[in-house]
């Protein structure tokens, strides 16, 4: 900030602040525009090789072609919508986890929540469902329950020593190994068919996307917004450490618990329907932080947008890498995302951790 | 706001960090807290700020309810976060911040940044500053919500001598002008003598002495608290001046 004659400090500060805000809105706007573009490309690509015109005609209801409509409305749109919603859930839960644990390595994947979901899914695949539900919902339901269980496990173990970030991270690592061991055991005793189902589930796939599933995820995501809006500044303050946050009048324990519930619901519902897509919860928050800073008013929507964008782009890539085949999305996300991520954090100059 | 502390104790697991301390602090007054390492100075401040759980009683203007805003500056000055100085200072006004930061908030932040002389740092990342600069930023944060109680844990420890003098003068001026009740932990006895109106000396969690600087800052009390021989004279106004210190 430079002093301009006739300008008070308050004026200069306001100008600086407005400038930062304007830049953040521009970044969010650019991410949103890219997401819309990626979404359209996602809908336009697929093994059926439909022309852009036909797809657009079907989407906007301009043409009547049963086959095209069936492909676009029953397969491609649900997949593209799910990619956006699941990516947003994973990006959002990842960034909240990194904030409340003050740890750049935190994500639903590294702290055992995804492993819990995988174990829950594996149980149903192997032993069937205890309640009469079609498999398309029994697996996600159990995956969700075990993701929540993993979260509850992390929190209750962490709480024994005052729920400090270090203790919660250690508890999360313990959960990761526990559920991975459980999953390995399931795979060990599984029949070849069941084993294949489990492995495929773990890869993560958008191909089982349906409208009702998309609606469930969207509803959960929307329900979390008011909860998070309430705590935006408090979460930002938590980055300055527990003691300073407490001194600012924040009840740190209840804030962490609230955030944990949000994380568990978001991750649970996202992972339940598409399997373990690990990378997004880790990378989207970092990308958002590099471009937007730590002010959660910008960081939370940013992480959600970058998460959605990453999974949407991965969805496109999974269909285009090998013509006629669809790669498991979890693998594509990591293969393409990791080099980009490394490049980004290596050239970043801001001190985050 | 008057603070009255009665039989305050803080226990960390098996360790009694603060042992039935009773004292009071008054508006318009700087109460310096000194004592050796581990004597309970920071713990006393944390208990008053509501950061550490304590037994005994703390009353604020006679009420047991803690005021919503207390300007509390913890000891640590490390900060690894992608937050600008302005954002850190704004967070000091946490209870008043809406989803949109108002002009009032920005004006309050700019006033305090000006007063501390760090307005030029407003747009910088907190993590990119020197330790002393960060200390100034955290002082600004503690003052940003215009608290009536100011609790500072070693606010001068990372500052150069010029800034030590400036900040000492600022704290004294704000305390007088705004009738703040200021509690401040200091290690440096000459600093404490200059800055405080009254001084409390702690050792092993217990209160050794409390009173005006002239009454309390004596060779006997320094020996009792630190096991150090001090030679203490007087300046032209009658205030004690620490002339030399040596091991006893």
């Amino acid at each position: 900030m430079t002093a301009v004659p006739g300008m008070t400090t308050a004026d200069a500060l306001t100008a600086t602040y407005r400038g930062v805000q304007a830049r953040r809105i521009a970044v969010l706007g650019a991410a949103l525009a890219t997401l819309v573009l990626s979404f359209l490309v996602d809908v336009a690509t697929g093994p059926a090789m439909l022309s852009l015109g036909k797809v657009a005609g079907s989407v906007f209801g301009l043409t009547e072609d049963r086959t095209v409509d069936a492909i676009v409305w029953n397969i491609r749109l649900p997949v593209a919508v799910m990619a956006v919603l699941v990516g947003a859930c994973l990006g959002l839960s990842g960034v909240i986890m990194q904030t409340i644990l003050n740890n750049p390595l935190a994500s639903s994947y590294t702290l055992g929540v995804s492993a819990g979901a995988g174990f829950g899914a594996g149980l149903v695949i192997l032993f069937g469902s205890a309640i009469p539900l079609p498999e398309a919902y029994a697996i996600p339901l159990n995956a969700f329950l075990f993701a929540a269980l993993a979260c509850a496990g992390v929190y209750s173990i962490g709480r024994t020593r005052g729920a400090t970030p270090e203790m919660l991270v250690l508890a999360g690592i313990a959960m990761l190994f526990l559920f991975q061991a459980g999953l390995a055991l399931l795979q060990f005793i599984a029949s070849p068919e069941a084993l294949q189902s489990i492995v495929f589930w773990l890869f993560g796939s958008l191909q089982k996307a349906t409208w009702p599933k998309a609606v469930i995820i969207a509803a959960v995501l929307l329900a979390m917004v008011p909860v998070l809006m309430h705590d935006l500044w408090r979460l930002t303050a938590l980055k300055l450490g527990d003691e300073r946050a407490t001194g600012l009048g924040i009840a740190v324990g209840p804030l962490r618990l609230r955030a944990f519930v949000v994380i568990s619901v978001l991750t649970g519902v996202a992972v339940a329907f598409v399997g373990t897509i690990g990378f997004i919860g880790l990378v989207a928050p970092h990308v958002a932080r590099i471009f937007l800073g730590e002010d959660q008013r910008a960081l939370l929507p940013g992480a959600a947008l970058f998460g959605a964008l990453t999974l949407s782009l991965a969805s496109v890539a999974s269909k285009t890498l090998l013509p006629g085949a669809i790669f498991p999305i979890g693998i594509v996300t990591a293969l393409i995302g990791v080099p980009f991520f490394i490049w980004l954090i290596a050239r970043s100059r801001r001190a985050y951790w | 706001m008057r603070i009255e502390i009665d039989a305050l104790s803080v226990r960390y697991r098996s360790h009694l960090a603060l042992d039935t301390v009773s004292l009071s602090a008054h508006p318009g007054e700087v109460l310096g807290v000194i004592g050796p390492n581990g004597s309970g100075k920071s713990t006393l401040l944390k208990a008053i700020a509501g950061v550490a759980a304590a037994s005994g009683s703390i009353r604020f203007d006679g009420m047991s309810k803690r005021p919503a805003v207390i300007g509390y500056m913890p000891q640590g000055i490390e900060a690894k976060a992608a937050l600008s100085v302005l954002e850190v200072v704004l967070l000091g006004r946490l209870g008043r911040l809406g989803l949109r930061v108002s002009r009032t908030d920005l004006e309050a932040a700019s006033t305090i940044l000006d007063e501390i002389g760090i307005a030029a740092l407003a747009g910088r990342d907190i993590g990119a500053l020197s330790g002393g600069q960060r200390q100034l930023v955290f002082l600004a944060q503690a003052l940003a919500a215009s608290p009536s109680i100011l609790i500072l844990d070693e606010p001068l420890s990372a500052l150069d001598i010029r800034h030590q003098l400036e900040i000492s003068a600022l704290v004294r001026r704000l305390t007088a002008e705004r009738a703040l009740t200021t509690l401040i932990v200091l290690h440096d006895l000459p600093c404490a003598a200059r800055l405080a109106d009254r001084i409390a000396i702690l050792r092993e969690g217990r209160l050794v002495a409390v009173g005006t600087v002239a009454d309390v800052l004596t060779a006997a009390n320094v020996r009792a608290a630190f096991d150090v021989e001090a030679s203490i004279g007087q300046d032209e106004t009658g205030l004690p001046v620490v002339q030399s210190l040596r091991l006893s």
Side-chain angles (χ1 to χ4, degrees), chain A residues 1 9-11 13-14 17 24 161 232-233 236-237 240 243-244 247-248 250 293-295 297 350-353, chain B residues 13 46 51 72 74 76 80-83 86-87 91 94 97-99 101 103 106 110 114 119 122 125 138 141:
Chain A
M1 205 165 69
T9 308
D11 291 337
L13 212 61
T14 307
Y17 176 76
R24 284 179 179 156
R161 291 270 302 268
L232 286 173
W233 284 111
T236 307
L240 296 173
E243 191 184 0
R244 219 172 276 284
L248 290 171
I250 297 170
E294 202 78 60
D295 183 338
R297 294 176 302 157
R350 286 183 90 171
Y352 303 95
W353 301 102
Chain B
R13 293 188 176 240
K46 282 180 195 178
V51 174
Y72 172 56
K80 284 259 164 77
L83 287 170
L86 175 61
E87 285 167 333
L91 282 173
L94 192 84
L97 291 176
L99 199 55
V101 173
R103 173 82 188 181
L106 288 167
S110 75
D114 257 345
D125 264 9
F138 287 132
Q141 186 188 53

Side-chain angles (χ1 to χ4, degrees), chain B:
Chain B
M1 188 171 276
R2 199 173 71 254
I3 304 176
E4 284 154 326
I5 293 163
D6 189 35
L8 196 70
S9 296
V10 175
R11 187 177 282 281
Y12 294 132
R13 293 188 176 240
S14 63
H15 172 62
L16 192 59
L18 206 63
D19 186 0
T20 54
V21 168
S22 301
L23 52 79
S24 58
H26 310 280
E29 168 195 271
V30 177
L31 177 65
V33 182
I34 61 174
N37 297 331
S39 59
K41 307 182 294 295
S42 296
T43 303
L44 173 64
L45 263 52
K46 282 180 195 178
I48 298 170
V51 174
S55 63
S57 97
I58 310 175
R59 294 189 160 270
F60 302 89
D61 271 351
M63 319 279 276
S64 57
K65 191 178 176 340
R66 188 171 272 105
V69 174
I70 288 182
Y72 172 56
M73 175 184 172
Q75 195 174 354
I77 50 169
E78 63 289 335
K80 284 259 164 77
L83 287 170
S84 72
V85 167
L86 175 61
E87 285 167 333
V88 172
V89 175
L90 282 173
L91 282 173
R93 299 173 61 80
L94 192 84
R96 304 172 195 193
L97 291 176
L99 199 55
R100 294 173 71 97
V101 173
S102 68
R103 173 82 188 181
T104 317
D105 292 319
L106 288 167
E107 274 170 4
S110 75
T111 305
I112 190 62
L113 284 170
D114 257 345
E115 256 169 332
I116 295 180
I118 50 171
L121 301 178
R124 297 266 300 276
D125 264 9
I126 181 85
L129 302 181
S130 78
Q133 288 173 320
R134 278 204 295 276
Q135 199 157 40
L136 295 174
V137 174
F138 287 132
L139 178 64
Q141 186 188 53
L143 285 163
S146 315
S148 55
I149 297 174
L150 189 59
I151 299 178
L152 308 174
D153 198 344
E154 291 197 43
L156 311 176
S157 61
L159 302 182
D160 60 55
I161 47 173
R162 183 182 172 83
H163 276 103
Q164 284 189 9
L165 292 170
E166 282 177 2
I167 296 303
S168 298
L170 177 72
V171 168
R172 279 196 69 82
R173 180 169 65 77
L174 291 178
T175 301
E177 277 177 12
R178 302 184 186 176
L180 304 182
T181 307
T182 300
L183 284 97
I184 181 164
V185 164
L186 291 165
H187 262 305
D188 187 65
L189 295 189
C191 261
R194 264 199 321 272
L195 179 47
D197 297 301
R198 290 196 306 139
I199 281 184
I201 304 181
L202 293 177
R203 178 171 185 165
E204 288 166 8
R206 289 179 157 275
L207 191 64
V208 173
V210 61
T212 61
V213 176
D215 288 345
V216 169
L217 205 57
T218 62
N221 278 336
V222 171
R223 190 184 309 118
F226 296 94
D227 296 327
V228 163
E229 292 300 327
S231 155
I232 295 173
Q234 282 189 344
D235 69 5
E236 57 278 14
T237 61
L239 279 176
V241 175
V242 181
Q243 289 164 336
S244 71
L245 297 167
R246 61 183 168 78
L247 290 173
S248 50

Side-chain angles (χ1 to χ4, degrees), chain A:
Chain A
M1 205 165 69
T2 49
V4 178
M7 201 178 186
T8 66
T9 308
D11 291 337
L13 212 61
T14 307
T16 310
Y17 176 76
R18 301 260 182 269
V20 170
Q21 291 302 95
R23 217 198 52 200
R24 284 179 179 156
I25 289 169
V27 169
L28 290 175
L32 183 63
T34 319
L35 177 61
V36 169
L37 208 64
S38 165
F39 176 81
L40 294 177
V41 175
D42 196 8
V43 177
T45 48
M49 304 283 178
L50 301 179
S51 74
L52 213 55
K54 276 187 176 170
V55 172
S58 173
V59 169
F60 298 110
L62 301 175
T63 53
E64 286 275 339
D65 183 329
R66 282 257 184 99
T67 321
V68 176
D69 278 355
I71 292 175
V72 169
W73 283 91
N74 296 339
I75 301 173
R76 289 199 189 168
L77 273 174
V79 165
V81 169
M82 286 270 279
V84 168
L85 291 172
V86 167
C89 284
L90 291 174
L92 201 52
S93 65
V95 79
I96 303 168
M97 217 174 212
Q98 289 177 7
T99 298
I100 64 166
L101 299 181
N102 199 17
N103 193 308
L105 301 176
S107 78
S108 55
Y109 197 76
T110 46
L111 295 187
V113 184
S114 297
F119 180 70
L123 278 180
V124 175
I125 293 171
L126 210 56
F127 302 116
S129 169
I131 36 173
L133 257 183
E135 207 177 49
Y137 285 92
I139 294 176
L141 181 65
N142 212 40
F144 178 84
L145 290 178
F146 272 84
L149 187 70
C151 256
V154 172
Y155 194 80
S156 16
I157 297 170
R159 234 169 69 105
T160 57
R161 291 270 302 268
T164 59
E166 296 80 7
M167 196 58 200
L168 289 168
V169 169
L170 286 175
I173 304 283
M175 283 291 124
L176 174 67
F177 281 106
L178 178 68
F179 281 114
Q180 274 184 347
L183 199 55
L185 181 67
L186 291 185
Q187 290 173 311
F188 180 68
I189 60 175
S191 67
E193 295 77 29
L195 177 63
Q196 200 182 4
S197 291
I198 294 176
V199 169
F200 188 75
W201 194 92
L202 292 177
F203 281 161
S205 168
L206 289 167
Q207 296 312 309
K208 285 181 183 162
T210 61
W211 284 112
K213 289 178 184 174
V215 169
I216 292 174
I217 302 178
V220 166
L221 191 57
L222 276 180
M224 292 304 127
V225 171
V227 183
L228 290 172
M229 296 267 276
H230 175 250
D231 280 330
L232 286 173
W233 284 111
R234 293 190 189 89
L235 287 169
T236 307
L238 208 53
K239 279 297 295 181
L240 296 173
D242 281 16
E243 191 184 0
R244 219 172 276 284
T246 312
L248 290 171
I250 297 170
V252 171
L255 173 63
R256 275 218 172 85
L257 181 58
R258 277 203 297 284
F260 243 89
V261 171
V262 171
I263 290 168
S264 119
V265 171
L266 282 177
T267 310
V269 77
V271 175
F273 286 122
V274 301
T276 44
I277 299 174
F279 185 62
I280 290 171
L282 184 68
V283 69
H286 284 284
V287 177
R289 199 175 287 109
I290 286 171
F291 287 113
L292 295 162
E294 202 78 60
D295 183 338
Q296 309 280 318
R297 294 176 302 157
L299 183 59
L300 292 193
L305 274 176
F306 282 114
L309 178 59
T310 313
L311 198 55
S312 184
L313 288 172
S315 172
V316 174
S318 72
K319 290 186 278 190
T320 46
L321 281 181
L322 213 66
I326 298 177
F327 263 72
I329 188 107
I331 299 177
V332 178
T333 320
L335 281 183
I336 298 176
V338 167
F340 170 72
F341 179 55
I342 291 172
W343 172 76
L344 203 64
I345 55 171
R347 68 183 281 279
S348 165
R349 290 285 172 268
R350 286 183 90 171
Y352 303 95
W353 301 102

